[in-house]
Amino acid sequence: YEKGQDGHEDDVKEFKEEAKIMNELGIKASYQENFAIRGWDGKIDQRDAVTYPGQATFHPTKYILGVLKWLTQQPNFQCYTRTRVMGVEEKGLLNKEVKVSTEAGHTITCKNAVEATCVPLQKLSVVAELKYYRTYCIAVRVPKGSIEDCLIYDSMDPYHYVRFTACDEKDDYLIIGGNDHKVGQENEAEQRYSELESWVRARFTQAGSVDYRWSGQTFEPIDYTAFIGKNQGQSHVYICTGDFGNGLTHGMLAGKLIADQITGVPNEWSKLYNPSRIPPLSQVPGTIAHDVEINTQYKRFLQSDIHDIEDLAPGSGGVLNPTTKSPMAVYKDDAGNVHKFSALCPHMKGVVCWNNDEKSWDCPVHG
């Protein structure tokens, strides 16, 4: 909230409490009254902040390539790209082994398997304990050196965040993201991008052209803590999911935690991230509300996006829901050719929605 607005004092109270807890945990943080970011020269005044010194940013692609290079130097390492896994199952009673089946019909047999995926390959369990969000991002040019290089989050709902990355000799890129909403439950991408642009221009007047914009999906556990470790009801299948924007951090953490669990090394993080944990009682109302919301999305069985295929413009899609047949997902490509599919998500049979921004079919039930 801006200074002078009713919610600003509540923000300050929360910031002070957060800084106190962080220091108790051994993490350096401090509340700074009237803290201002160099280059934030717009009229909107949101000074006061919790600051965390000594943070870092690094390039995710270069990081992954570095990890892959290290792995290729290890004995018995093999990597199969463009290999889609369709199932991971445990077989046997006493001496269990894991069968990994691929789309091409191959089967890999192993002692342990790790599903380091956005969503595990299963119907429910932890899948039902995740909230699925569509999140948006834009990259805006700013004159090099005109704005302080820092990582910014605000406390709005939906929230905003700001990052920096290199552009060219003249400019840097200001990366502005946020404006999340539940997957498949809105179709307002243009409005979301416009809101991000308005937000940054009102605060950073030197913002230039918007060169890139994109969206993605994030997955938030109902108790706000990732699921990392042995999957529910299994002995040799491990998962890492529920990152909600913290994938690089969780990737490092999961590499250590899951390796320890497979090799039998005690790890104090195991209980915190245990996929089989029982959420605290304080989360029960939110869990029930989440389940109710998810189940109400099956109302799309009674809805139709279009009444006739001719209603579709080239490059767009929609669900046609005949009263006597199952819902049909219809896409008309740029050449005007029509493509028809079942509109039922193969996961839990939710009726998908057309995402015109990403040109994808999104499920409002589980992403």
Side-chain angles (χ1 to χ4, degrees), residues 80-98:
Y80 297 91
T81 60
R82 302 183 184 279
T83 303
R84 177 172 290 180
V85 171
M86 304 302 290
V88 180
E89 296 182 290
E90 290 186 353
K91 300 289 186 178
L93 294 176
L94 296 178
N95 297 315
K96 287 188 175 182
E97 56 186 12
V98 181

Side-chain angles (χ1 to χ4, degrees), residues 28-328:
K28 290 184 179 180
S30 62
Y31 167 72
Q32 296 191 34
E33 187 175 1
N34 289 323
F35 178 84
I37 297 165
R38 180 171 57 80
W40 182 316
D41 56 356
K43 293 182 179 179
I44 295 178
D45 183 0
Q46 288 178 262
R47 286 174 296 167
D48 298 333
V50 179
T51 60
Y52 294 81
Q55 300 299 299
T57 59
F58 55 100
H59 197 296
T61 307
K62 292 179 179 179
Y63 162 71
I64 293 296
L65 290 175
V67 172
L68 183 59
K69 181 180 179 180
W70 180 84
L71 286 170
T72 58
Q73 299 168 357
Q74 308 309 305
N76 301 320
F77 172 75
Q78 293 177 305
C79 179
Y80 297 91
T81 60
R82 302 183 184 279
T83 303
R84 177 172 290 180
V85 171
M86 304 302 290
V88 180
E89 296 182 290
E90 290 186 353
K91 300 289 186 178
L93 294 176
L94 296 178
N95 297 315
K96 287 188 175 182
E97 56 186 12
V98 181
K99 300 286 186 179
V100 179
S101 57
T102 72
E103 187 178 38
H106 301 292
T107 299
I108 302 165
T109 303
C110 53
K111 181 63 176 177
N112 298 285
V114 179
E115 295 185 41
T117 56
C118 287
V119 182
L121 295 172
Q122 54 201 53
K123 291 292 185 181
L124 288 173
S125 59
V126 297
V127 175
E129 297 176 47
L130 295 171
K131 300 177 184 178
Y132 301 85
Y133 288 91
R134 172 69 58 180
T135 188
Y136 297 86
C137 228
I138 61 174
V140 180
R141 283 179 177 264
V142 295
K144 192 172 291 290
S146 63
I147 300 173
E148 183 176 0
D149 185 357
C150 57
L151 311 174
I152 308 169
Y153 284 95
D154 69 12
S155 57
M156 293 184 68
D157 187 13
Y159 66 94
H160 305 86
Y161 63 85
V162 178
R163 299 284 185 273
F164 275 82
T165 193
C167 177
D168 54 32
E169 294 181 357
K170 180 183 176 183
D171 295 325
D172 287 321
Y173 274 128
L174 204 59
I175 309 295
I176 304 94
N179 269 4
D180 301 5
H181 64 77
K182 292 293 182 66
V183 173
Q185 297 184 28
E186 286 189 23
N187 191 19
E188 300 176 346
E190 288 298 328
Q191 179 180 333
R192 298 283 172 163
Y193 289 128
S194 178
E195 288 174 355
L196 288 177
E197 184 175 353
S198 296
W199 185 91
V200 70
R201 293 194 187 283
R203 291 158 176 80
F204 301 94
T205 63
Q206 298 193 64
S209 62
V210 178
D211 286 7
Y212 300 98
R213 63 183 202 174
W214 66 96
S215 74
Q217 288 191 32
T218 60
F219 312 94
E220 180 186 74
I222 55 177
D223 63 356
Y224 310 108
T225 304
F227 298 107
I228 303 173
K230 194 173 294 182
N231 200 7
Q232 294 180 5
Q234 296 182 304
S235 303
H236 297 278
V237 177
Y238 299 80
I239 63 173
C240 176
T241 187
D243 296 319
F244 202 57
N246 296 304
L248 290 174
T249 304
H250 286 159
M252 290 289 292
L253 192 156
K256 173 63 175 171
L257 174 54
I258 293 176
D260 283 349
Q261 291 182 346
I262 290 175
T263 56
V265 176
N267 191 308
E268 61 184 356
W269 299 337
S270 294
K271 183 178 180 180
L272 176 64
Y273 293 100
N274 183 7
S276 298
R277 66 182 181 266
I278 298 175
L281 290 176
S282 60
Q283 298 296 328
V284 171
T287 302
I288 295 173
H290 170 65
D291 291 342
V292 170
E293 181 189 28
I294 287 298
N295 286 311
T296 59
Q297 299 311 310
Y298 286 100
K299 65 187 178 184
R300 280 188 55 75
F301 271 98
L302 305 176
Q303 299 172 344
S304 187
D305 301 332
I306 58 175
H307 299 289
D308 193 289
I309 294 176
E310 296 302 318
D311 295 341
L312 288 176
S316 66
V319 171
L320 182 63
N321 202 343
T323 55
T324 58
K325 299 180 181 179
S326 295
M328 183 190 310

Side-chain angles (χ1 to χ4, degrees), residues 299-364:
K299 65 187 178 184
R300 280 188 55 75
F301 271 98
L302 305 176
Q303 299 172 344
S304 187
D305 301 332
I306 58 175
H307 299 289
D308 193 289
I309 294 176
E310 296 302 318
D311 295 341
L312 288 176
S316 66
V319 171
L320 182 63
N321 202 343
T323 55
T324 58
K325 299 180 181 179
S326 295
M328 183 190 310
V330 185
Y331 172 67
K332 184 181 289 186
D333 63 29
D334 291 335
N337 300 312
V338 175
H339 307 267
K340 301 177 182 178
F341 313 90
S342 168
L344 301 185
C345 175
H347 177 223
M348 292 296 289
K349 307 305 180 184
V351 178
V352 297
C353 302
W354 173 250
N355 181 334
N356 199 53
D357 178 49
E358 295 291 335
K359 306 298 181 185
S360 64
W361 297 100
D362 296 351
C363 179

